[in-house]
Structures are given as structure tokens and as C-alpha cells.
């Protein structure tokens, strides 16, 4: 969420809004599919780590993709996370309220992140957005390291 907000904000307010909508749509579709269908989450954690590295790295470098690319990329990343959330909620207690709570949290965090990112960028704070991207990339690198270490041992 933070990486997409930073990337959108680096492209401008319209891109931040599109990123927000793409996140919400992707996460909702993914969570509904993960909850309703008896499927395992399709993405291994290395794919998630790669997406975090890609999105965070692009923000850290100050090289956000065009809005036409950012929207589908954000939607796909959000759908993968949504599928994991929906499947976990189904496995935990099978209650739709858990999915609704997750989606509400995503809505709040994504809205605040995108709005804050756009405001920071307008105030000339692209450095702060790039730092947020670097932290996201670092989290992706850490997640990839954990996955590779657990696969090796």
C-alpha cells in the first residue's frame, strides 16, 4: 500500500487516485475469491517479496511507472494479497466479517497513504516518498531472504 501510494504521489495527484482505486478493486476481488473459492493462495512469498522489491525500488529510485502501468500492477499486487487474506479468513473462522474488516483497514490505510503522499509531493517532499519506497524495498529483500533461508534449511 505504501509503495503504491508513494509511486502514485511521485506521478501526481491523479496517479495517486488511480493507484488507490486499483488497490481497492484488486484487494476486494482477491479477498472475495480467496474467501469464496477453496483455493490455496497462488503466489509464493517470493513473488510477494519480488513485488515489494519492484514497487519499493521504483519509488526509492524516483522512477515511478506511468499511470497506465501503475494501475494494473497495483491491482495485481493487491489481488495477490487479497487472496491470501480471504483464504486466511476462511481458514480461521469462515466469517465474512473478517474479510470486511480487512477491506476496511485497506481502505483506510490506502486512502490515508495516497492522500498524504500526494500532499507531501505537492509540498516538495519527494525525498520522503523515496525513503518510504526504500523501506518497502528493504522489507521485500528481508522477506526474500527469509523464504530462501527456510527453503534451504
Amino acid at each position: 500500500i505504501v509503495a503504491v501510494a508513494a509511486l502514485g504521489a511521485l506521478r501526481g495527484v491523479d496517479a495517486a487516485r488511480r493507484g488507490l482505486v486499483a488497490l481497492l478493486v484488486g484487494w476486494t476481488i482477491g479477498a472475495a475469491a480467496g474467501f469464496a473459492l477453496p483455493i490455496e493462495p497462488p503466489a509464493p512469498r517470493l513473488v510477494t517479496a519480488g513485488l515489494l522489491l519492484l514497487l519499493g525500488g521504483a519509488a526509492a529510485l524516483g522512477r515511478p511507472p506511468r499511470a497506465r502501468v501503475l494501475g494494473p500492477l497495483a491491482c495485481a499486487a493487491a489481488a495477490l494479497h487479497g487472496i491470501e487474506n480471504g483464504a486466511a479468513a476462511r481458514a480461521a473462522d469462515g466469517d465474512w466479517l473478517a474479510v470486511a474488516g480487512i477491506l476496511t483497514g485497506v481502505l483506510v490505510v490506502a486512502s490515508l497513504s495516497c492522500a498524504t503522499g500526494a500532499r507531501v509531493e505537492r509540498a516538495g517532499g519527494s525525498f520522503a516518498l523515496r525513503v518510504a519506497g526504500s523501506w518497502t524495498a528493504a522489507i521485500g529483500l528481508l522477506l526474500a531472504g527469509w523464504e530462501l533461508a527456510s527453503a534451504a534449511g
Side-chain angles (χ1 to χ4, degrees), residues 116-149:
T116 302
R119 176 105 178 172
V120 165
E121 174 60 23
R122 267 190 270 145
S126 63
F127 180 75
L129 297 172
R130 293 176 67 183
V131 169
S134 73
W135 278 91
T136 305
I139 291 168
L141 188 60
L142 183 63
L143 179 60
W146 277 336
E147 284 303 306
L148 292 173

Side-chain angles (χ1 to χ4, degrees), residues 24 45 56-57 67 92 96:
L24 297 176
R45 294 202 191 275
W96 265 101

Side-chain angles (χ1 to χ4, degrees), residues 84-139:
E84 288 183 21
N85 292 151
R90 180 178 30 84
D93 60 7
D95 191 6
W96 265 101
L97 285 177
V99 175
I102 291 167
L103 293 174
T104 301
V106 168
L107 170 67
V108 170
V109 171
S111 297
L112 291 174
S113 297
C114 288
T116 302
R119 176 105 178 172
V120 165
E121 174 60 23
R122 267 190 270 145
S126 63
F127 180 75
L129 297 172
R130 293 176 67 183
V131 169
S134 73
W135 278 91
T136 305
I139 291 168

Side-chain angles (χ1 to χ4, degrees), residues 53-79:
L53 275 167
L54 176 71
L55 294 172
L61 294 172
R63 301 285 187 184
R66 297 188 190 279
R68 290 184 298 248
V69 175
L70 179 60
L73 189 60
C75 191

